[in-house]
Amino acid sequence: MIAENIGPRARSLEAASLAARIKDEVKTEIEQMVKERGVRPCLAAVRVGEDPASAVYVRNKIRACEEVGIRSEHHALPESTSTAELLELIASLNLRDDVDGILVQLPLPSGIDETAIIEAMDPAKDVDGFHPVNAGKLAMGRPVFVPCTPAGIIELLDDAGVEIRGANACVVGRSQIVGRPMAQLLLQRDATVTICHSRTRDLAAVARTADLLVVAIGRAGLVGRDHIKPGATVIDVGMNKASDADQVRSLFGSEADKRLEVVAKRGYTLVGDVNPAEAAEVAGMLTPVPGGVGLLTVAMLMKNTLKAAKLRRKH
Ligand code: GUN
């Protein structure tokens, strides 16, 4: 974790060095597994359709596999794939003894029954922790596979020395991927947890009570100074695109010129769910976007895939 001042107060919780450290640990264990037992873990990544963001995410996951020594397969299926066809692929991956982890990149195209696909996965290969068996075990306080983004956030908080026990934690967003499992993990670590969502009355008033605020709602810059208790730790899970110059200026303050250069080059800049210029004036710590929790998601996927291989192969 590298800390730097990004505003009058907030420390920036960069995740790059922690993500690299987690991947290094996984790499060392895999080298040992290969040397001692001739076993190399394997992750099957499945992507359906042409969503460009999903393509980037899956490419990053495959590249991380190469870095740590996990064998990977990339199953890229056309937009026209049916639920039945995808179920068939999942069934074949479930049966293959050489496949340790299965990752189906979400969201799937609207014609595919996402719930049926997730439920068809062998829970022992569910390295995303989305299967009801894994979600249920987490909710009971007996986690096996925990969704990668919230698991990475816990690692980041521990690495930064943020006290979770007894903290007032507020999770904004109730998705299966981030919000719900995040709340469960914080509860397990003895935080007092509030979950907010699109129907919460006076979000700012509730969020402002939190020592620890995790925001995962998918709305660019929604959380501003009014939502943040002075000195709070703010974790921004959002990953949105902004291209409007006025919006970029209001979000990035003194950093706006750099971001506008990115917009000129790429057509957009990445923006979290938190307004970083405002948050920097109030928060104690803040994760940047990009460079924050996104890097940890991939690192934790590598860790979960190693865990699946160890549990399945009784290492
Ligand atoms: N889509 C957004 N985040 C994730 C994730 O962590 N795993 C998968 N499979 N899909 C996602």
Side-chain angles (χ1 to χ4, degrees), residues 46 54 57-58 61 102-107 121 127-128 130 147-150 177-178 297-298 301:
V46 180
S54 287
Y57 293 145
V58 171
K61 289 169 183 180
I102 304 170
L103 168 126
V104 178
Q105 187 64 30
L106 304 180
M121 233 180 268
V127 286
D128 260 324
F130 295 162
C148 302
T149 302
I177 296 178
V178 183
T297 301
V298 178
L301 177 68

Side-chain angles (χ1 to χ4, degrees), residues 296-314:
L296 291 169
T297 301
V298 178
M300 296 311 286
L301 177 68
M302 301 299 105
K303 202 166 166 172
N304 278 352
T305 305
L306 170 62
K307 184 175 186 174
K310 286 203 286 192
L311 290 173
R312 284 185 65 248
R313 299 165 191 261
K314 300 280 184 286

